Amino acid sequence: MDIEEISQTLYKEKNQTLKTIPADFYLEAEKYIRELEKEIGKTNNPRSPESKMLNDEHERALSDLETIFMKRIGKVITRATIQSHADKPISKDIEKLLPAEKLLYDLVLQGIEAAKVELLGPILYPDSGKVPIWPGIGESRHASTAILVEAKTGREITVTADGKETGTVSGKNNINEEYVIVRILKDLPTFTGADGRNYTVNAEDVVVLPQLNATGLIKRKAAKLITAGEKGSGEKDSAKN
């Protein structure tokens, strides 16, 4: 993969048509970005034309990849919203989705149905007795819990949706070698971390992230490393799974 392939993919995604992209598109993009970063690291003079060219290509590639992601996600959500009003499948576009995009499509459909039951249900079907089933959080969104990982001790803390700590269990002893604390500098789309968990973070959040992901965000100036002395009371882990 190179910058031209990414640019061509972005160009194709600029209209509302959902295009088929290779199943390994993001994997190949990751390899390309890592190679660029290696080349940037080899340059002796960061002010040289070569270094500037590589850095510009790196920033452009990251920006284009995020735009591709957001455009495709927007199309996924639009199609799920339209499908929620239909009695049968209305589009073959679903076959063009990557596995993660298909999962999002299904979750959006489930979420729309849950919201309809909770908000419109009592009005339209007062005697139905249906309970909204929110995707990923069981019978009720109020039963949601999160696992916060304390980077220095490896302690895992179970926290309820209202922020109350309900208990602790022992975590990994080497957690501080795998996770770091960072301050997020800008709103970011949900991403899957190196630990397989999904993270949703916003500007000014102080969060615990896998070191690999934190390093990538810091290089993109989307996050800042927090040292032990700077650790604030707002620390949280935004993982949803």
Side-chain angles (χ1 to χ4, degrees), residues 1-2 5-6 9 19-33 65 68 72 96-101:
M1 179 176 287
D2 55 25
E5 183 177 344
I6 294 175
T9 301
K19 305 294 184 180
T20 300
I21 62 175
D24 61 350
F25 176 80
Y26 287 104
L27 178 61
E28 291 301 312
E30 180 186 5
K31 293 178 182 178
Y32 163 64
I33 292 296
L65 286 168
I68 290 168
R72 289 185 65 84
K96 301 175 182 178
L97 299 180
L98 299 177
E101 295 170 339

Side-chain angles (χ1 to χ4, degrees), residues 168-219:
T168 63
V169 295
S170 298
K172 297 178 181 179
N173 293 328
N174 64 342
I175 195 74
N176 58 328
E177 297 177 5
E178 300 176 2
Y179 290 81
V180 295
I181 304 171
V182 297
R183 183 183 301 280
I184 303 300
L185 302 180
K186 62 181 180 180
D187 293 347
L188 297 172
T190 299
F191 61 91
T192 302
D195 55 1
R197 302 167 72 191
N198 292 332
Y199 291 82
T200 301
V201 294
N202 299 303
E204 297 306 315
D205 284 349
V206 177
V207 299
V208 178
L209 293 178
Q211 188 170 26
L212 180 63
N213 300 102
T215 299
L217 292 177
I218 292 169
K219 286 182 178 179

Side-chain angles (χ1 to χ4, degrees), residues 143-147 156-169:
S144 176
T145 61
I147 302 296
E156 290 187 353
I157 307 168
T158 302
V159 179
T160 62
D162 59 5
K164 295 181 180 179
E165 183 176 324
T166 60
T168 63
V169 295

Side-chain angles (χ1 to χ4, degrees), residues 109-122 132-134 141:
L109 279 177
Q110 294 172 38
I112 291 174
E113 175 61 24
K116 183 177 181 181
V117 170
E118 180 168 325
L119 301 176
L120 279 179
I133 307 299
W134 289 89
R141 61 182 175 184

Side-chain angles (χ1 to χ4, degrees), residues 46-240:
R47 296 184 179 181
S48 67
E50 179 188 5
S51 179
K52 184 179 185 304
M53 181 180 67
L54 288 170
N55 277 286
D56 287 347
E57 183 176 343
H58 183 262
E59 291 301 316
R60 177 185 166 191
L62 290 177
S63 176
D64 285 357
L65 286 168
E66 288 188 358
T67 303
I68 290 168
F69 169 80
M70 292 306 299
K71 284 186 175 296
R72 289 185 65 84
I73 291 306
K75 295 172 186 179
V76 169
I77 293 173
T78 296
R79 281 155 178 76
T81 302
I82 295 172
Q83 181 62 62
S84 68
H85 297 290
D87 297 328
K88 59 181 180 179
I90 59 176
S91 175
K92 293 184 178 180
D93 281 350
I94 307 308
E95 300 172 1
K96 301 175 182 178
L97 299 180
L98 299 177
E101 295 170 339
K102 177 58 167 62
L103 176 59
L104 174 63
Y105 175 85
D106 292 337
L107 289 174
V108 172
L109 279 177
Q110 294 172 38
I112 291 174
E113 175 61 24
K116 183 177 181 181
V117 170
E118 180 168 325
L119 301 176
L120 279 179
I123 300 171
L124 302 178
Y125 318 108
D127 300 320
S128 69
K130 293 184 69 175
V131 176
I133 307 299
W134 289 89
I137 55 179
E139 293 186 355
S140 170
R141 61 182 175 184
H142 304 297
S144 176
T145 61
I147 302 296
L148 309 188
V149 181
E150 192 172 89
K152 292 178 70 66
T153 66
R155 206 169 51 122
E156 290 187 353
I157 307 168
T158 302
V159 179
T160 62
D162 59 5
K164 295 181 180 179
E165 183 176 324
T166 60
T168 63
V169 295
S170 298
K172 297 178 181 179
N173 293 328
N174 64 342
I175 195 74
N176 58 328
E177 297 177 5
E178 300 176 2
Y179 290 81
V180 295
I181 304 171
V182 297
R183 183 183 301 280
I184 303 300
L185 302 180
K186 62 181 180 180
D187 293 347
L188 297 172
T190 299
F191 61 91
T192 302
D195 55 1
R197 302 167 72 191
N198 292 332
Y199 291 82
T200 301
V201 294
N202 299 303
E204 297 306 315
D205 284 349
V206 177
V207 299
V208 178
L209 293 178
Q211 188 170 26
L212 180 63
N213 300 102
T215 299
L217 292 177
I218 292 169
K219 286 182 178 179
R220 292 163 51 193
K221 297 182 179 179
K224 176 185 177 183
L225 183 65
I226 298 295
T227 64
E230 296 175 312
K231 182 178 175 183
S233 59
E235 179 190 332
K236 69 176 184 178
D237 184 329
S238 297
K240 298 301 181 185

